[in-house]
Amino acid sequence: MITTVIYALIAIMVLGAIWLKAGVRIVKQFERGVVFRFGQVRPELRAPGLALIMPVADRLQKVNMQVVTMPVPAQDAITRDNVTVHVDAVIYFRVVDPVRVVVGVQDYEAAIRQVALASLRSIIGKSELDDLLSNRERLNQGLELMIDSPAVGWGVHIDRVEIKDVVLPESMKRSMSRQAEAERERRSRIITAEGELQASKKLAQAAETMALHPAALQLRLLQTVVEVAAEKNSTLVLPFPVELLRFLERATPPESGQATAHSTPTLSGGLSAPVGQHLPGTRIPNQVAPNTAETGR
């Protein structure tokens, strides 16, 4: 009799252990448990920790609540201005309604991936190449709205969508390189022209100042000589101002007499040279020879 009771207690304990093993579940911190009782979903969720369910009657399905990073495969698409590009992206999303994720869609990750592929091709077809390269933040926001619209009904929230890389054809890369080079050349020419314009204005102001103060020209000349001499050159080039020639021409009194006219040739600049000497390139008029009658006398 005692042996039978002991066997019965052991059997009860074994059955209880099996029941506990079948009815006890552990839900992690980043998970939520959705319970199906005889195929019907229960409205209450199982929080993280130890969860008890009815064996045979209940079935617990765990849903990950972490942020999921999903890469979108690269797509070959044509932009609005008929340029073929190779674009890939990445999506960050998380589950906000575990019941709707489990009941509303069969495989929510695969569904989001397909929606992302279609949305990526659509947003590229509506955008031009310049927007795709320079205004990428606006395209990311538009792509996020396009993917988030159907995802809300599945209990998924799209946190962020990023276009990672845009691969262009080699011919387009060369064209853009030539365009950028031409743009830089245009800017350099404009900057050079503006510099010449400013320099000409300053030179005009300096010329007006020197015209009012002639001594400033001599000071500038001396400064130029000092700058040239500082280079330790063996040859010193000293400019001779035309104003000094004009000053000497005005300061020299005119000489009278016929001998001066015959003996001293007049230069083109108003200067005179001694008799028998002439500057290179200066033509000396021939002297008038006496006539035959005067020679006979």
Side-chain angles (χ1 to χ4, degrees), residues 182-235:
E183 180 66 20
R184 288 192 296 268
E185 184 68 20
R186 182 184 68 85
R187 293 179 182 177
S188 64
R189 291 183 179 181
I190 292 176
I191 293 174
T192 303
E194 290 179 353
E196 293 292 339
L197 178 59
Q198 296 177 3
S200 63
K201 292 181 179 179
K202 295 298 181 182
L203 289 175
Q205 295 178 2
E208 294 177 357
T209 304
M210 291 182 180
L212 296 177
H213 304 282
L217 182 61
Q218 302 300 326
L219 295 176
R220 187 71 183 92
L221 176 61
L222 294 176
Q223 183 180 1
T224 304
V225 172
V226 172
E227 293 178 356
V228 174
E231 299 294 334
K232 298 181 181 181
N233 296 325
S234 59
T235 303

Side-chain angles (χ1 to χ4, degrees), residues 8 39 49 67 132 141 148 155 194 208 210 227 241 257 270 279 288 291 295:
V67 176
L132 192 60
Q141 295 177 359
D148 192 56
E194 290 179 353
E208 294 177 357
M210 291 182 180
E227 293 178 356
L279 298 177
V288 180
N291 54 19
T295 305

Side-chain angles (χ1 to χ4, degrees), residues 18-187:
I18 295 174
W19 184 85
L20 289 175
K21 184 179 180 181
V24 175
R25 296 290 187 272
I26 296 176
V27 181
K28 298 180 181 179
Q29 181 66 37
F30 55 86
E31 295 177 339
R32 297 296 183 270
V34 179
V35 178
F36 290 89
R37 180 166 295 173
F38 295 109
Q40 295 181 354
V41 63
R42 305 296 297 173
E44 64 274 2
L45 298 176
R46 294 296 187 264
L50 191 64
L52 297 177
I53 61 175
M54 295 178 60
V56 181
D58 293 347
R59 185 175 63 87
L60 180 67
Q61 184 172 350
K62 301 175 184 178
V63 179
N64 193 341
M65 304 295 291
Q66 291 177 316
V67 176
V68 180
T69 303
M70 176 184 293
V72 180
Q75 296 292 308
D76 289 329
I78 300 177
T79 60
R80 187 176 180 180
D81 48 354
N82 298 326
V83 178
T84 303
V85 292
H86 195 71
V87 184
D88 58 349
V90 60
I91 305 175
Y92 303 91
F93 65 92
R94 56 188 176 87
V95 176
V96 294
D97 192 348
V99 176
R100 191 175 298 179
V101 163
V102 174
V103 178
V105 61
Q106 182 178 4
D107 188 354
Y108 68 94
E109 293 187 359
I112 291 176
R113 183 180 293 107
Q114 295 301 320
V115 171
L117 291 175
S119 301
L120 182 60
R121 296 177 67 90
S122 178
I123 199 70
I124 292 174
K126 296 178 181 178
S127 305
E128 296 184 355
L129 180 61
D130 294 338
D131 294 335
L132 192 60
L133 296 176
S134 60
N135 199 5
R136 193 172 296 181
E137 186 65 27
R138 184 178 63 83
L139 295 180
N140 292 336
Q141 295 177 359
L143 187 59
E144 179 181 348
L145 292 176
M146 294 179 65
I147 301 175
D148 192 56
S149 297
V152 171
W154 302 335
V156 178
H157 175 68
I158 306 298
D159 288 340
R160 189 170 182 82
V161 180
E162 292 284 347
I163 297 177
K164 293 195 302 182
D165 191 16
V166 178
V167 181
L168 300 176
E170 293 297 330
S171 58
M172 181 57 63
K173 290 181 181 179
R174 291 193 294 267
S175 300
M176 295 177 66
S177 178
R178 290 193 298 267
Q179 180 184 1
E181 184 178 356
E183 180 66 20
R184 288 192 296 268
E185 184 68 20
R186 182 184 68 85
R187 293 179 182 177

